[in-house]
Amino acid sequence: SETALAVGWALRELLAREPERLSVALEKRVQSLSRQAFRTAVERLSPEVRSRLTVRWLAKRKGRRLLDKGSSSEKSRRNRSIS
């Protein structure tokens, strides 16, 4: 979406000016970025930094999905034990 591109663009431009400071901030908030915003933000970073951030982004996204799935299965397990 256009918003994701705008967020990614702004992050990319800020990363170009202050890469060390923003890389740390981006790592802390990487899970909240959409795929498009993340890709736009990291496209001009060095391959090493981009790879590290991508691994973190994927792990955070996957972890969030696993937690969501775990909570629903936990609910169904509780429901079965009640009946």
Side-chain angles (χ1 to χ4, degrees):
S1 80
E2 290 179 15
T3 304
L5 285 173
V7 169
W9 172 81
L11 287 170
R12 182 182 66 210
E13 295 303 315
L14 290 169
L15 280 164
R17 294 184 182 162
E18 298 183 53
E20 296 84 25
R21 193 172 102 174
L22 249 32
S23 289
V24 172
L26 186 58
E27 283 188 45
K28 289 180 183 178
R29 293 170 183 83
V30 73
Q31 75 276 7
S32 63
L33 291 176
S34 70
R35 180 177 185 259
Q36 184 63 49
F38 177 76
R39 289 183 65 187
T40 303
V42 301
E43 70 185 8
R44 292 187 186 162
L45 295 176
S46 70
E48 296 83 24
V49 174
R50 187 172 53 238
S51 177
R52 186 182 76 235
L53 288 172
T54 300
V55 167
R56 288 186 71 104
W57 184 81
L58 289 170
K60 296 279 184 172
R61 303 291 288 192
K62 192 173 193 175
R64 187 179 338 162
R65 276 188 241 129
L66 290 175
L67 287 175
D68 292 343
K69 288 179 183 177
S71 63
S72 64
S73 64
E74 181 65 33
K75 287 177 188 174
S76 37
R77 210 176 305 133
R78 272 189 255 142
N79 288 341
R80 277 183 269 164
S81 66
I82 293 172
S83 16

